[in-house]
Amino acid sequence: MTDRSIRSLTNLQKSASTARVLNLLKVGQDHGHTEEWAAAPMFQHRMLNRALILKHRLRRDEIDMFRVRRHVATKIILPIDERDLRAGGRFLFVDQIGFDRALEQTLGIGIGHPDRRVLGLIADLPGFDPFLLREQLRRHGVQPAPCYFAVSAADMTSMDMFVQEEILPLVRLSLGGAEMPGDGNPVARLASKILSSTAEGDLLMLGKTLHLQPDEYEEGIFSWKGFLYYKWALRSVIGDVGSVAEAVRTVRPHGRATSEQKVDIDRCRRVLKARMVETCDDAASMLRVYDNAFRRLTTEGNPAAFRDFLLEAPLLFWRLGEQLGAIQHIVSFWRYRFSARRTPPDAMELLDLLGDFENSLAAREDPDSVNLAA
């Protein structure tokens, strides 16, 4: 199939990956000459390893492409001309009806191919935050080169310190009121275990205490890690959300716009700003579910509350990641597109941009949604 929305993707050709866009084309352009990229690619197939992969909120006419109702799908775009996305591209949704047949016909990748497995692992994530993407692949034995994950040393240090601060009450609980030992740092050790790809030692003991099956515990711990990451990410991005929301409110197109375009732009600006605020509020509400469960474990001695959280964590993690991923994408791409070096978009491009952002934050109609008041 040909992607008819390719015009809005031309801006992504030279931009870095975001929480909603995995830009393997740019990774290849920037690192294709290096030994690490050649030795440990994310995908074995050349075209797939230079694709654009998106977390795409499905439109009404796309929902029937799947057997199971969903709101977001993982979209693979294979550029026809890697140097110019205006030439268009073929696209597929992971797990759409007939996906495996189409993948084999298009790229010769069968069900047992390693690339098919990696696509499934990527599709299981709510977004492409580099920290969680790397951990998801690594815990399933897939370790692409570091160039695929834009995680700076400063971010890793900041994340590590944040986790240490968050889990301090759990360490104190495990010590039973005793003084922390002088040799070594138990907080740092436990934080390192949480951030590692496997659960062992103290974490395995926690799973036994909570009476969780190994598979339930493994998924719960990964989702707990996701909650910690998203809590850190929300704290890091919240200031940027306000400035971008204000920029959305005041943005004007470059050049002339028709009266109809002006009306549409005004509507899109109002709706998008409101949805950005609502989405941040919803994300904060989901994080409070974790905060309440963790507080009840560490201050009230109620392990059942945290056990229930770990069982619900995979679903909550997906929803939280979907919302925060959309916000992070808007902030990062807005900064890229409206940088001082770039000509502001004309009315048509601005409408496309605002429309894409608005669609990414569209309200969910999910009858099985989790009660956040718990």
Side-chain angles (χ1 to χ4, degrees):
M1 287 183 276
T2 299
D3 189 350
R4 296 179 180 176
S5 64
I6 203 72
R7 177 176 53 202
S8 63
L9 293 173
T10 55
N11 291 316
L12 296 176
Q13 188 166 14
K14 296 181 180 179
S15 66
S17 298
T18 73
R20 279 186 61 241
V21 178
L22 183 58
N23 192 342
L24 299 179
L25 177 59
K26 181 167 175 55
V27 174
Q29 291 169 342
D30 292 347
H31 301 278
H33 62 285
T34 65
E35 184 177 340
E36 66 165 2
W37 182 88
M42 183 171 290
F43 294 102
Q44 295 181 10
H45 195 286
R46 183 191 181 282
M47 289 183 64
L48 199 53
N49 206 43
R50 290 179 177 269
L52 288 158
I53 304 179
L54 293 72
K55 290 297 179 181
H56 172 82
R57 181 169 287 276
L58 297 172
R59 300 176 176 87
R60 290 175 184 242
D61 61 340
E62 296 170 333
I63 291 176
D64 291 339
M65 296 176 67
F66 298 85
R67 290 189 174 88
V68 178
R69 183 175 176 82
R70 62 175 69 196
H71 301 275
V72 175
T74 302
K75 184 177 187 178
I76 307 164
I77 298 178
L78 305 169
I80 293 174
D81 184 344
E82 295 177 358
R83 296 167 299 179
D84 187 358
L85 290 184
R86 289 175 297 182
R90 292 169 291 175
F91 77 90
L92 294 167
F93 290 114
V94 176
D95 294 330
Q96 70 178 55
I97 296 172
F99 171 68
D100 285 312
R101 182 176 65 254
L103 191 64
E104 187 160 15
Q105 291 174 346
T106 303
L107 299 176
I109 293 174
I111 294 177
H113 195 283
D115 286 352
R116 177 62 181 91
R117 179 168 177 261
V118 173
L119 285 172
L121 294 174
I122 288 175
D124 285 343
L125 285 174
F128 300 126
D129 304 271
F131 174 80
L132 294 176
L133 177 60
R134 185 187 63 181
E135 292 306 304
Q136 167 78 331
L137 295 177
R138 187 168 70 176
R139 75 189 184 115
H140 288 92
V142 181
Q143 298 193 53
C147 61
Y148 289 95
F149 312 103
V151 183
S152 69
D155 280 348
M156 284 302 301
T157 300
S158 175
M159 176 66 180
D160 183 68
M161 295 303 295
F162 176 79
V163 172
Q164 290 189 41
E165 179 184 330
E166 282 286 311
I167 55 93
L168 180 59
L170 182 60
V171 174
R172 287 175 173 159
L173 178 67
S174 68
L175 293 174
E179 292 291 328
M180 289 193 184
D183 54 338
N185 185 340
V187 182
R189 286 201 304 271
L190 186 56
S192 177
K193 290 176 182 178
I194 291 173
L195 292 175
S196 71
S197 59
T198 59
E200 57 183 15
D202 297 336
L203 289 181
L204 285 178
M205 289 302 297
L206 178 61
K208 293 177 180 177
T209 301
L210 297 175
H211 302 292
L212 290 170
Q213 296 298 319
D215 58 336
E216 293 174 332
Y217 184 62
E218 182 181 355
E219 289 303 313
I221 286 293
F222 178 70
S223 299
W224 179 20
K225 184 187 304 183
F227 263 74
L228 291 171
Y229 173 81
Y230 287 135
K231 190 174 182 180
W232 171 79
L234 182 61
R235 190 175 71 171
S236 302
V237 80
I238 197 68
D240 294 332
V241 172
S243 61
V244 171
E246 180 60 21
V248 167
R249 187 184 69 82
T250 59
V251 67
R252 297 285 188 276
H254 179 70
R256 300 185 62 178
T258 66
S259 56
E260 183 178 350
Q261 287 174 328
K262 291 178 182 177
V263 169
D264 289 342
I265 289 173
D266 286 342
R267 185 204 65 81
C268 285
R269 289 186 308 186
R270 290 195 305 272
V271 172
L272 178 56
K273 182 182 178 183
R275 285 185 176 169
M276 288 178 70
V277 173
E278 291 170 3
T279 300
C280 286
D281 288 343
D282 288 345
S285 295
M286 274 186 276
L287 286 171
R288 282 195 292 272
V289 174
Y290 158 69
D291 287 337
N292 290 337
F294 191 69
R295 174 184 55 79
R296 293 177 68 183
L297 170 67
T298 56
T299 65
E300 300 176 12
N302 183 356
F306 198 67
R307 179 182 188 277
D308 291 343
F309 163 75
L310 288 181
L311 289 173
E312 291 185 345
L315 173 60
L316 287 171
F317 161 68
W318 221 100
R319 291 182 56 202
L320 179 62
E322 180 186 336
Q323 291 184 321
L324 274 183
I327 287 291
Q328 290 171 303
H329 170 75
I330 290 171
V331 169
S332 60
F333 191 70
W334 188 276
R335 296 256 166 129
Y336 160 76
R337 183 60 188 89
F338 290 89
S339 66
R341 304 188 306 272
R342 300 182 61 82
T343 302
D346 60 20
M348 185 175 294
E349 185 188 344
L350 182 58
L351 277 171
D352 278 347
L353 191 63
L354 294 176
D356 285 345
F357 288 163
E358 180 185 335
N359 187 57
S360 72
L361 296 176
R364 292 180 55 131
E365 298 175 1
D366 189 351
D368 299 322
S369 60
V370 175
N371 180 8
L372 298 180

